Amino acid sequence: MKNKYRSDLAIAKNLGSAGSGSAHWWHQRVTAIILTITTFWLICFSWSLSGLEVSGVIDVVKKPYNIVMLALFTVAGFYHAALGMRVIIEDYIHCRAIRLVSILLVQIFSIVTIISFIIAVLHVMNL
């Protein structure tokens, strides 16, 4: 009775759920919530930086709370973007080789950018 609603061809080709859709959906929703919260913080943070000189901005950014929030915003943002781009690429690129290369390039770009941001933050902390 398990295959009651599936056609014979679908059963023969073993077509069905990939089993990873719900995890992807949850990751998108969680990162969206994190981005919403950190965006409100980022707006308030940038407003507090207006009118400060460079040395004052560096002093404010050096505070651990601000570093954590900036890192959280960046990591969640790039992860959320990579998830979204993956869905778009999987939906609209039909050639398997181009699809695989595109997904890998998006993931590599996201990882490299996140690592660059973390290195920049560590550099600012040591100023």
Side-chain angles (χ1 to χ4, degrees):
M1 277 297 149
K2 173 175 150 179
N3 296 324
K4 180 178 170 184
Y5 299 109
R6 296 176 66 193
S7 69
D8 292 333
L9 181 61
I11 294 169
K13 287 185 173 182
N14 197 20
L15 296 175
S17 172
S20 65
S22 63
H24 179 90
W25 186 86
W26 274 109
H27 289 202
Q28 283 250 288
R29 295 319 175 266
V30 170
T31 55
I33 291 168
I34 292 170
L35 283 171
T36 303
I37 294 167
T38 56
T39 300
F40 286 126
W41 170 84
L42 188 64
I43 291 169
C44 296
F45 177 69
S46 354
W47 191 15
S48 71
L49 293 179
S50 63
L52 291 178
E53 295 194 15
V54 176
S55 61
V57 171
I58 291 173
D59 289 338
V60 172
V61 171
K62 278 185 177 182
K63 295 180 182 174
Y65 177 76
N66 293 331
I67 290 173
V68 168
M69 290 299 284
L70 282 171
L72 186 62
F73 178 77
T74 304
V75 171
F78 277 101
Y79 184 60
H80 185 79
L83 288 173
M85 286 302 299
R86 181 180 184 127
V87 169
I88 292 170
I89 290 168
E90 288 174 347
D91 286 347
Y92 294 108
I93 297 180
H94 301 291
C95 176
R96 287 184 181 180
I98 295 173
R99 182 173 44 212
L100 177 65
V101 168
S102 299
I103 290 172
L104 286 174
L105 286 174
V106 167
Q107 289 176 346
I108 289 170
F109 173 77
S110 297
I111 291 169
V112 167
T113 308
I114 289 170
I115 290 171
S116 301
F117 176 79
I118 291 172
I119 290 171
V121 167
L122 292 174
H123 178 72
V124 167
M125 287 175 57
N126 291 328
L127 287 179

